[in-house]
Amino acid sequence: MGVDLEKIDEKSEDLEIHGGVPEDEASIATSNHDKEDLSIQAVPDQILTPNGIPVDEEAATATPAARVRSQASSTRSRPLSIVPRLKRRGLLAQLTLVPEVDRPYDYPNKVKWAITAFVALAACAAPMGSAIFYPALPGMSKDLGASPTVVNLTVALYMLAMSIFPLWWSSFSEVLGRRNIYLSSFLLNVVFTLLSGLSVNIGMLIVFRILAGGAAASVQAVGAGTIADIWEPRERGRAMGYFYLGPLMGPLLAPIIGGALAEGFGWRSTMWFLTAYGAVIFVLVLFCIPETLAKRKPAPAVAQTSPEGLSRVSTTRSVKQAATSLKRWLVDPLEIIMYLRFPAVAITVYYAAVTFGSLYVLNIVIQSAFSLPPYGYSAIIIGLLYLPGSLGYFAASVLGGRWIDRIMVRAAEKAQRYDARGKLVYLPEDRMRENAWISATLYPGALIWSGWTTYYGVHWAAPAVANFFFGLGSMLVFSAATTMLTEFMPRRSSNGVALNNFVRNIFSCTGGIVTQPLIDAMGVGWLLTMLGLIAWLSGNVCIYLLRKNSRKWREQMDKELNQ
């Protein structure tokens, strides 16, 4: 992969001499009508978003005979413009095997998929760090002399940190770049996780767990921004589905790993595993993930002062500059929360948060129900019962993203939405069609199915099948919602995902705290029935409101965000 790109790097000067197009391709393009169509395909798809380029209405209503739909990525007809090694952005950027390019959309697909895979692996770290503790909690309580309630705080507060810290990581990434955030956050994660494993009391463990979770959570927001950086809108649904496998596979595979480690080596071995995993991710980012942020936000200009006035105002100016810097770095990232004032964003975030909270409730139900009679399984067997949900996530990622992308193309073609250059114009709400209606019923129904089969002690295969369909349906929601947020705010993609991460982890943290008391009070059957009905009603109402009002809401967002 890296060798091919370096060869392109060597040829970049020749390409620039010919205006970025090789001579042989230029001659073919002038003599072949098919190549003229290919040049049209090189124009990136538009997406009608609040911050996107407005569509030329006259051109959109015209019906020229030469109008075509893009069938291939623009990268296939546009040469790479590679940034020289010494001018690449980010920490230790000269070490990357994948070079930085001026336009990340132009990466070959194999490079895009490699970056997507690496970012998904990085996104697995934070949720894995929360779920790997479940089988180790009893041993930790005994070793540190803390009550089970206090020990549960190591998980709950870790998840709370996962919701809050990405607000800052997201804001910093839009200024400092994606690569800088990945490297710095995972270096911190390795240090804090190592210190967590060396904790001598519960207080020390809780503090370093919070810091480790906050550091690893950077990818929860910035990772989706990277996906939006390199994939065009018509291909983004499938890519986002694969990316989301990372944060969703973490809480499903971690209990298996945690159970095996806790039984064989004690609870601290789970911390050594997470430390090693964080170190591996750091190395992958260092060598394999270039900077993908297309444009940086310019730093605010500092007013020049004359030498005569410098001595009189230097102290006051320094204080003001320090206050401004503190506000920009500590307070301004919290403004991301204000995006909830836009109905389209708030409804999308709420729908995803309810679904994500349901996932964590189900995880605790599996652990609680199958550890007691009539099942009474060991920690390792219970961990294996998380695999059906994982298979559902994987199936939805492989098939669901491509399905959603095709739905978008079909909707745009049916509405005859073309721009002046004959390119299809996609709307974010096109992702909420039959796929959304199906998923809004599928995963709530699976919750109820799982709840009552578990409550009556039916053979483990029955709730396992239900959990597969829960994974399938919920993954369709996660993929569509996250991609829509990057498209509602294309120039603030990581901010939208950070806001989604903030709200959903609050829901999951709340679910993690209240689930066991609710199981004790009302039983698994009624708990998952109540949750399933809430999820079904929330999903259908949210989809209806988005389908009916999304265009109006996007126009309002456009006015406010561009004032």
Side-chain angles (χ1 to χ4, degrees):
M1 182 188 304
V3 175
D4 293 338
L5 288 171
E6 294 300 332
K7 289 181 179 179
I8 297 175
D9 199 355
E10 295 173 0
K11 298 179 181 179
S12 60
E13 292 184 2
D14 294 337
L15 295 178
E16 291 176 0
I17 292 174
H18 299 290
V21 180
E23 289 182 358
D24 55 344
E25 291 186 14
S27 62
I28 295 173
T30 57
S31 61
N32 192 319
H33 178 71
D34 293 337
K35 293 298 181 181
E36 292 178 359
D37 286 349
L38 188 60
S39 67
I40 294 177
Q41 295 174 358
V43 180
D45 286 352
Q46 268 191 317
I47 183 163
L48 188 57
T49 61
N51 299 299
I53 301 173
V55 178
D56 185 336
E57 297 295 339
E58 293 183 2
T61 57
T63 56
R67 174 176 290 162
V68 295
R69 178 173 63 86
S70 175
Q71 297 286 349
S73 174
S74 62
T75 62
R76 297 171 190 170
S77 58
R78 184 192 297 267
L80 285 175
S81 177
I82 296 180
V83 176
R85 187 173 293 274
L86 295 179
K87 293 184 180 180
R88 293 172 187 171
R89 299 171 293 165
L91 296 171
L92 303 174
Q94 293 76 21
L95 299 178
T96 54
L97 301 178
V98 180
E100 180 184 347
V101 298
D102 288 329
R103 189 173 184 273
Y105 283 170
D106 294 341
Y107 277 122
N109 276 348
K110 64 179 181 179
V111 177
K112 292 182 182 180
W113 284 120
I115 293 175
T116 301
F118 294 147
V119 175
L121 288 173
C124 185
M128 180 183 290
S130 68
I132 202 171
F133 255 30
Y134 288 136
L137 292 178
M140 188 186 312
S141 176
K142 182 179 179 180
D143 184 40
L144 298 178
S147 67
T149 302
V150 174
V151 170
N152 283 334
L153 290 177
T154 63
V155 176
L157 295 180
Y158 180 97
M159 294 165 63
L160 189 62
M162 286 173 56
S163 72
I164 297 174
F165 279 69
L167 297 178
W168 281 272
W169 291 128
S170 165
S171 180
F172 295 163
S173 76
E174 301 292 344
V175 179
L176 303 176
R178 319 293 193 198
R179 178 179 170 85
N180 287 338
I181 298 304
Y182 290 143
L183 289 175
S184 58
S185 63
F186 270 94
L187 179 61
L188 292 173
N189 172 254
V190 169
V191 173
F192 293 140
T193 304
L194 180 62
L195 292 173
S196 297
L198 297 174
S199 297
V200 296
N201 56 59
I202 191 65
M204 178 179 176
L205 178 62
I206 290 175
V207 169
F208 284 114
R209 283 278 293 166
I210 290 172
L211 295 174
S218 63
V219 196
Q220 302 294 300
V222 182
T226 298
I227 302 304
D229 291 341
I230 64 176
W231 291 100
E232 296 187 54
R234 59 190 169 77
E235 302 170 310
R236 198 173 293 159
R238 184 158 59 112
M240 199 68 74
Y242 282 107
F243 162 72
Y244 237 93
L245 269 179
L248 291 173
M249 294 294 280
L252 294 172
L253 295 179
I256 304 173
I257 300 171
L261 290 174
E263 282 195 11
F265 306 100
W267 72 269
R268 294 182 191 272
S269 63
T270 62
M271 293 296 95
W272 311 144
F273 174 84
L274 292 175
T275 302
Y277 189 87
V280 169
I281 296 300
F282 179 86
V283 173
L284 282 177
V285 173
L286 183 64
F287 291 107
C288 301
I289 300 184
E291 181 55 62
T292 60
L293 185 64
K295 293 181 181 179
R296 299 193 185 194
K297 296 180 179 179
V302 179
Q304 299 289 332
T305 58
S306 62
E308 293 80 3
L310 184 61
S311 61
R312 294 194 301 269
V313 300
S314 58
T315 302
T316 302
R317 185 176 299 279
S318 297
V319 172
K320 289 183 178 179
Q321 289 178 350
T324 301
S325 298
L326 286 174
K327 178 179 179 296
R328 184 177 64 174
W329 293 106
L330 298 180
V331 179
D332 287 353
L334 295 174
E335 293 179 357
I336 293 175
I337 300 175
M338 296 304 297
Y339 288 128
L340 288 174
R341 72 185 186 274
F342 300 119
V345 174
I347 290 175
T348 304
V349 167
Y350 169 75
Y351 185 27
V354 169
T355 308
F356 198 75
S358 301
L359 165 64
Y360 273 81
V361 171
L362 182 60
N363 284 346
I364 295 176
V365 165
I366 291 173
Q367 181 201 21
S368 175
F370 286 100
S371 63
L372 300 174
Y375 299 104
Y377 295 147
S378 66
I380 295 179
I381 299 300
I382 292 174
L384 292 174
L385 291 173
Y386 288 89
L387 286 178
S390 301
L391 295 176
Y393 291 125
F394 182 78
S397 295
V398 172
L399 304 175
R402 184 175 299 179
W403 180 31
I404 294 172
D405 287 340
R406 289 179 179 175
I407 288 173
M408 289 191 69
V409 171
R410 186 196 66 203
E413 288 178 332
K414 183 177 180 180
Q416 291 294 299
R417 293 196 302 263
Y418 294 91
D419 66 7
R421 294 166 293 187
K423 307 297 292 183
L424 285 171
V425 177
Y426 301 124
L427 305 178
E429 59 269 22
D430 285 343
R431 298 188 185 276
M432 287 285 181
R433 290 184 178 267
E434 65 266 25
N435 59 299
W437 296 112
I438 291 173
S439 60
T441 298
L442 183 60
Y443 90 84
L447 281 174
I448 299 173
W449 175 3
S450 179
W452 288 111
T453 53
T454 303
Y455 177 81
Y456 285 111
V458 181
H459 189 274
W460 61 266
V465 173
N467 294 343
F468 169 82
F469 284 108
F470 174 86
L472 189 69
S474 60
M475 185 62 183
L476 292 174
V477 177
F478 296 139
S479 178
T482 304
T483 311
M484 285 174 63
L485 287 172
T486 66
E487 294 168 350
F488 278 133
M489 300 182 290
R491 297 177 188 174
R492 302 171 175 87
S493 57
S494 64
N495 289 353
V497 179
L499 178 61
N500 181 42
N501 184 76
F502 173 72
V503 177
R504 77 177 192 179
N505 277 304
I506 289 178
F507 275 55
S508 62
C509 177
T510 303
I513 293 173
V514 305
T515 298
Q516 189 59 54
L518 289 176
I519 292 174
D520 297 337
M522 58 194 307
V524 170
W526 286 113
L527 171 61
L528 292 186
T529 298
M530 178 184 71
L531 183 61
L533 292 176
I534 293 173
W536 180 83
L537 182 62
S538 297
N540 283 276
V541 170
C542 289
I543 295 168
Y544 172 77
L545 292 175
L546 285 171
R547 296 289 306 146
K548 182 178 181 180
N549 302 305
S550 183
R551 181 181 293 273
K552 176 180 66 177
W553 288 339
R554 283 189 291 102
E555 291 174 355
Q556 294 172 353
M557 288 177 63
D558 184 38
K559 292 179 181 178
E560 292 195 39
L561 292 176
N562 292 287
Q563 283 181 349

